[in-house]
Amino acid sequence: MRLRALLDTDALGLRLLGGEDELDRTVRGVMTTDLRDPSRYLSGGELVLTGLAWRRDAADSEPFVRLLVQAGVVALAAGEAELGAVPDDLAAACARHRLPLFAVHESVAFATITEHVVRQVSGERAGDLAAVVDRHRRMMTSGPAGGGPDVVLDLLGSDLDLRAWVLSPVGRLIAGSKVSGPALPADACAGLAAEHLAATRTGRRGPHRVLLGGTTYSLFPIRSWGHLPAVAGGGRSPQGARDVRETVLSDWLLAVEADAGDWPEERLDLLQGVTQLVAVERDRRDAARTVRRRLAQEVLELVQTGAAPAEIAARLRVAAPVLLPGLGAAPHWQVVVARVEWDGGEVEGGPVAQSLLEEILVDPLAAGPEPSDRIAVAHTGDEAIALVPLPAVTAEHDGSESGVHADALLEAVRAPLAAGLDADGRVTLGVSAAVHSAEGLRGALEEARHARRVAAARPGRVCAAGHQELASHVLLLPFVPDDVRRAFTARLLDPLRDYDRRHRAELIPTLEAFLDCDGSWTRCATRLHLHVNTLRYRVGRIEQLTGRDLSRLEDKLDFFLALRMS
């Protein structure tokens, strides 16, 4: 389609700001982005839609436009919702580089423009898939009754005789064609997800050709730009996808039973368009999780700040109907804590761990259009915390209760995760016992965190531990009286705090990091950005001030307990 055709559609809300002489350019695709450098995801011929979150000041416009032109972009459309109007510096940069610039009215969603462009481009290039894009609006706007991405996959099967499936990064089957044969087996889903993650970590561009069980598949990434890691203030990081490790464990994929290496360019463009349609559905489902995430965050903050049990119980009463609709009695709860860590520590792991927990904890037998509607996951720092409701439990603290079990939780996703983590990442996870009241949540949270530490001490890229593996002091720690806590921590930590105040030596943060790294000099020095000799000096000073020896298990445990109770 030609650029000038976009101006003829009033529903798109586009206003031309510059580039009238370039309106005969051909649009081959569309991409929505707020990255400062999206060039790695561009193949040429795209209309780029942006909300301008990448722009910090006027100096940012010139390099952004230059990168788009170098990547072969045919036009830029900027939304007016963020800044109220398209900045003059952006218009000037587009004029210098002869890049047509459109303004998008704040009342028009980018998804509407994406749908229109994909439908028009697909219709022009291949009539055999026109039905897919023509029925996109029903799929995306009619809710659960519309069938979601299954509608598009059914049409791929009926119109093009292509078997296709949408998979999560850990191999969960999200959608599949019902008209082209049996469902994809679970082991095949896991194998395809592992191959996709491994290819993504090497930096190869999709589609990825995979031979699995004698069958050839082509794997297309589904990159959902609304699913970038969150930043403070509720926005999205404009740098969110620059490091592939920030999204590799979050993106969906489209698996097609065919060798795309033999396809003409037009057929490849059509499948890329399908991934864009599915990405819209991904954003819709992710937005639906917002309420559950907020509930988890509110409960977590109350628990961690020592709020009264009655206040926590009130929040749980609000959460229960959302997570378990129709449940008559208040459920039991479990807490699951996960951490994603990368070598070097420069990649924030909290948002990745949150998305990962939401996938891992999905109950495939749950009723409803989206089985993840019973999971509430919050994240703080590099840690994700899930509040898992249970309608009932059969026993407590004897290893036989129903609900989440650490030993089985990662079994089905271990292979895909290991491929995505490659040689520089780890996933560790801890699971608490079930509790039946607000008073028990604080202990459950501490229990899950300690279980995760047990998992972290084990070798391997993907490790989990449950409450059954914890010593008795872990179960009792949250209930130690406040006066005992204060006396114990004062004797052990006050000399270090006093020294830090006088010399700004950061002995307390050093001690925390040293214990969190399980006494590893190299890992701790890397985390703190210190030379190992500097770290050894600080640890020596800690031992001198306290009279303790951090090579002894007993003293490590005392320091650990003091820090946890302080």
Side-chain angles (χ1 to χ4, degrees):
M1 66 177 298
R2 304 288 182 181
L3 276 176
R4 64 176 66 255
L6 297 173
L7 295 174
D8 297 332
T9 306
D10 294 336
L12 299 184
L14 294 177
R15 188 173 77 259
L16 183 65
L17 300 182
E20 185 174 1
D21 295 337
E22 308 293 334
L23 292 181
D24 284 329
R25 293 183 179 184
T26 300
V27 180
R28 297 178 58 249
V30 62
M31 173 184 174
T32 299
T33 184
D34 275 319
L35 300 177
R36 302 186 72 185
D37 179 9
S39 57
R40 65 184 293 182
Y41 303 108
L42 295 167
S43 57
E46 294 94 345
L47 167 68
V48 169
L49 308 174
T50 180
L52 300 176
W54 51 267
R55 182 184 178 276
R56 298 171 184 171
D57 54 46
D60 290 335
S61 293
E62 171 66 23
F64 180 78
V65 172
R66 185 172 61 252
L67 288 168
L68 295 186
V69 172
Q70 290 172 351
V73 168
V74 298
L76 175 66
E80 296 180 321
E82 182 77 15
L83 301 179
V86 177
D88 292 340
D89 49 270
L90 181 59
C94 288
R96 281 193 297 272
H97 291 276
R98 301 184 64 183
L99 181 68
L101 175 64
F102 298 92
V104 182
H105 193 270
E106 62 181 2
S107 64
V108 179
F110 283 174
T112 301
I113 301 174
T114 298
E115 175 192 343
H116 178 82
V117 172
V118 171
R119 182 169 63 244
Q120 295 300 319
V121 170
S122 299
E124 291 172 1
R125 294 192 174 187
D128 59 355
L129 200 57
V132 174
V133 288
D134 285 341
R135 290 166 65 178
H136 172 226
R137 183 174 299 279
R138 180 176 72 84
M139 180 189 74
M140 294 301 175
T141 61
S142 59
D150 298 86
V151 173
V152 166
L153 302 187
D154 284 345
L155 289 172
L156 284 176
S158 60
D159 295 358
L160 297 184
D161 197 26
L162 286 176
R163 300 184 68 206
W165 304 266
V166 176
L167 306 177
S168 79
V170 294
R172 178 169 68 91
L173 182 61
I174 295 169
S177 173
K178 299 179 179 64
V179 300
S180 57
L184 196 64
D187 58 344
C189 291
L192 291 175
E195 293 284 354
H196 170 72
L197 291 176
T200 303
R201 286 305 309 273
T202 64
R204 299 194 344 244
R205 299 188 65 160
H208 308 128
R209 182 181 180 276
V210 172
L211 183 63
L212 187 69
T215 302
T216 299
Y217 299 89
S218 295
L219 309 180
F220 294 79
I222 299 174
R223 294 190 173 93
S224 177
W225 303 110
H227 196 255
L228 291 177
V231 295
R236 297 287 172 180
S237 170
Q239 303 276 359
R242 178 160 298 181
D243 192 320
V244 69
R245 295 176 296 180
E246 293 192 9
T247 56
V248 67
L249 300 180
S250 303
D251 288 335
W252 287 0
L253 69 139
L254 174 69
V256 180
E257 189 179 294
D259 187 351
D262 299 331
W263 288 358
E265 185 176 352
E266 289 78 7
R267 178 65 63 88
L268 286 173
D269 287 345
L270 287 172
L271 267 293
Q272 294 291 356
V274 170
T275 67
Q276 293 176 346
L277 303 188
V278 178
V280 175
E281 172 68 7
R282 171 66 192 273
D283 286 343
R284 184 189 68 79
R285 294 192 183 192
D286 195 56
R289 291 179 174 178
T290 301
V291 173
R292 298 189 295 278
R293 287 175 173 176
R294 186 170 65 247
L295 285 172
Q297 194 71 45
E298 290 174 355
V299 173
L300 174 62
E301 290 174 359
L302 291 173
V303 171
Q304 293 192 123
T305 55
E311 187 176 359
I312 300 174
R315 296 308 303 160
L316 290 178
R317 284 193 294 272
V318 172
V322 175
L323 300 177
L324 288 177
L327 187 68
H332 290 70
W333 304 90
Q334 276 183 284
V335 175
V336 181
V337 172
R339 196 178 183 103
V340 176
E341 297 176 292
W342 304 97
D343 291 354
E346 69 274 12
V347 179
E348 184 182 2
V352 180
Q354 181 183 44
S355 176
L356 197 58
L357 258 190
E358 288 173 335
E359 292 294 341
I360 291 173
L361 291 171
V362 164
D363 179 4
L365 301 179
E370 174 51 47
S372 63
D373 61 359
R374 297 186 176 185
I375 299 164
V377 185
H379 79 83
T380 172
D382 286 334
E383 184 181 69
I385 302 169
L387 188 64
V388 182
L390 306 173
V393 293
T394 57
E396 291 189 14
H397 292 284
D398 64 354
S400 64
E401 69 266 20
S402 60
V404 177
H405 292 266
D407 55 354
L409 196 56
L410 298 181
E411 183 176 349
V413 300
R414 193 177 301 276
L417 284 180
L421 295 166
D422 198 12
D424 61 346
R426 288 197 80 198
V427 170
T428 53
L429 186 145
V431 181
S432 79
V435 295
H436 65 277
S437 66
E439 290 89 343
L441 275 182
R442 180 182 173 191
L445 176 59
E446 292 293 331
E447 195 172 70
R449 282 175 166 163
H450 285 297
R452 192 207 64 79
R453 288 179 177 273
V454 170
R458 296 170 174 167
R461 292 287 169 189
V462 184
C463 299
H467 63 92
Q468 302 93 336
E469 303 174 61
L470 304 182
S472 60
H473 76 271
V474 175
L475 303 179
L476 298 175
L477 182 60
F479 307 105
V480 175
D482 289 342
D483 56 344
V484 176
R485 287 172 177 258
R486 285 193 294 269
F488 181 77
T489 58
R491 284 196 300 270
L492 206 53
L493 300 182
D494 278 0
L496 305 182
R497 291 171 176 152
D498 292 340
Y499 190 87
D500 281 348
R501 279 194 294 268
R502 293 196 307 270
H503 302 281
R504 297 181 180 179
E506 297 188 353
L507 295 185
I508 292 290
T510 299
L511 176 60
E512 290 175 331
F514 186 73
L515 295 176
D516 197 42
C517 291
D518 304 313
S520 169
W521 297 99
T522 302
R523 286 171 52 201
C524 184
T526 299
R527 176 177 296 188
L528 295 175
H529 306 290
L530 297 175
H531 191 279
V532 172
N533 289 342
T534 303
L535 176 61
R536 291 186 184 277
Y537 172 80
R538 289 189 182 180
V539 170
R541 179 64 68 182
I542 291 171
E543 293 175 335
Q544 181 183 31
L545 291 170
T546 60
R548 300 299 185 104
D549 182 355
L550 276 169
S551 66
R552 298 178 66 247
L553 177 61
E554 296 89 339
D555 288 339
K556 283 182 182 178
L557 180 59
D558 282 348
F559 277 123
F560 173 78
L561 292 173
L563 289 169
R564 299 304 295 173
M565 291 192 297
S566 64

